[in-house]
Amino acid sequence: MTSNIKEWKRGVKDGIPIALGYLAVSFTFGIIAKQAGLNPYEAIFMSATNLTSAGQFAGLTLIAAMATMVEIAVTQLIINSRYILMSFALSQKIDSNTSLFHRLLMAYGITDEVFGASMAVRGKLSPYYVYGLVSVAMPGWVLGTFLGVVSGNILPSRATSALSIALYGMLIAVIIPPSKGNKLLSGVILVSMVASLLFAKLPVFHTISSGVKIIVLTIVIAGIAAALFPVKEEAIHEG
């Protein structure tokens, strides 16, 4: 019991920077959620049950575009499929005797940042360390969402629109660092941007909903890149 509490406290300490980062990003999400027509309770519930910035922003875009439930579900499955791979990796760091209950609780809180912090732990990973990370990271995300929704009613419309630009800054921060020095990834990003622009501007694609566009572009571009330029196993281990 003492060891579990110690691991939880260590997770809380390591999770504070994550919570602060989430607070800033989710503030923007709260503003956009307000613009999309969600009330504070709906926005907070969405943040508390769907801990993924990319998935939530995409979900709001689809909701605002009146996409179907199927489109939203498939888009979320594609966008969040990376967490399956993260779970595979983390399953190798935990004790093989870890119960299904603990595995499910850990799976709820896996995000890019929680995964990174968990993988950096030396030796076996304790579920309670992950609980410590999530116990501060998740409230930080939810609190930021709440503040964003409330500010959407208080701040002037111009200020709200200006803060919404932070979303694009977050997305740029996600794709630029890994693309540096990686010609393949840079090419895929460039092709994705051009293809998205064509889908948005060409009249022939106007009848296709935003959800279907995201699904098609993701599967086609990622599939072609994986087929033509597969990542060698040695490169994976070196990374």
Side-chain angles (χ1 to χ4, degrees):
M1 179 65 70
T2 302
S3 176
N4 293 339
I5 295 177
K6 183 178 180 181
E7 287 294 324
W8 179 81
K9 289 182 177 179
R10 188 159 69 100
V12 170
K13 180 180 178 181
D14 293 346
I16 292 176
I18 298 176
L20 294 176
Y22 282 178
L23 185 67
V25 176
S26 61
F27 184 85
T28 304
F29 170 77
I31 293 175
I32 298 177
K34 176 63 179 179
Q35 294 175 344
L38 272 66
N39 61 46
Y41 301 104
E42 293 170 337
I44 290 174
F45 181 78
M46 187 176 184
S47 282
T49 57
N50 187 23
L51 303 180
T52 160
S53 57
Q56 287 187 224
F57 282 116
L60 282 180
T61 301
L62 297 176
I63 291 173
M66 302 298 291
T68 66
M69 293 293 289
V70 174
E71 292 173 355
I72 295 176
V74 174
T75 301
Q76 292 298 314
L77 176 63
I78 294 173
I79 292 177
N80 297 323
S81 59
R82 68 187 185 278
Y83 295 125
I84 299 177
L85 302 179
M86 294 180 190
S87 297
F88 288 159
L90 286 177
S91 69
Q92 305 303 306
K93 285 187 65 66
I94 62 177
D95 192 295
S96 58
N97 295 323
T98 302
S99 67
L100 177 61
F101 176 76
H102 282 300
R103 292 173 185 267
L104 292 176
L105 286 181
M106 292 173 67
Y108 159 75
I110 293 177
T111 64
D112 298 354
E113 295 76 17
V114 170
F115 169 76
S118 299
M119 289 298 293
V121 173
R122 294 184 178 181
K124 288 294 183 180
L125 176 66
S126 169
Y128 291 91
Y129 175 81
V130 179
Y131 299 158
L133 291 173
V134 177
S135 64
V136 290
M138 191 271 279
W141 184 262
V142 173
L143 176 60
T145 299
F146 170 74
L147 294 177
V149 174
V150 173
S151 298
N153 291 326
I154 299 175
L155 296 178
S157 58
R158 290 185 178 181
T160 301
S161 299
L163 288 171
S164 298
I165 299 177
L167 167 61
Y168 302 100
M170 181 199 71
L171 296 177
I172 292 174
V174 170
I175 64 176
I176 293 300
S179 65
K180 289 182 177 179
N182 190 326
K183 295 182 179 180
L184 173 58
L185 184 55
S186 298
V188 171
I189 293 174
L190 181 61
V191 170
S192 301
M193 293 172 63
V194 173
S196 297
L197 178 63
L198 293 176
F199 264 60
K201 297 299 183 181
L202 293 180
V204 67
F205 296 121
H206 284 178
T207 57
I208 303 177
S209 67
S210 300
V212 173
K213 290 178 182 178
I214 295 174
I215 295 170
V216 171
L217 289 175
T218 302
I219 293 177
V220 172
I221 296 176
I224 293 177
L228 296 180
F229 309 99
V231 179
K232 296 181 180 180
E233 186 174 356
E234 301 85 42
I236 297 177
H237 292 309
E238 291 175 359

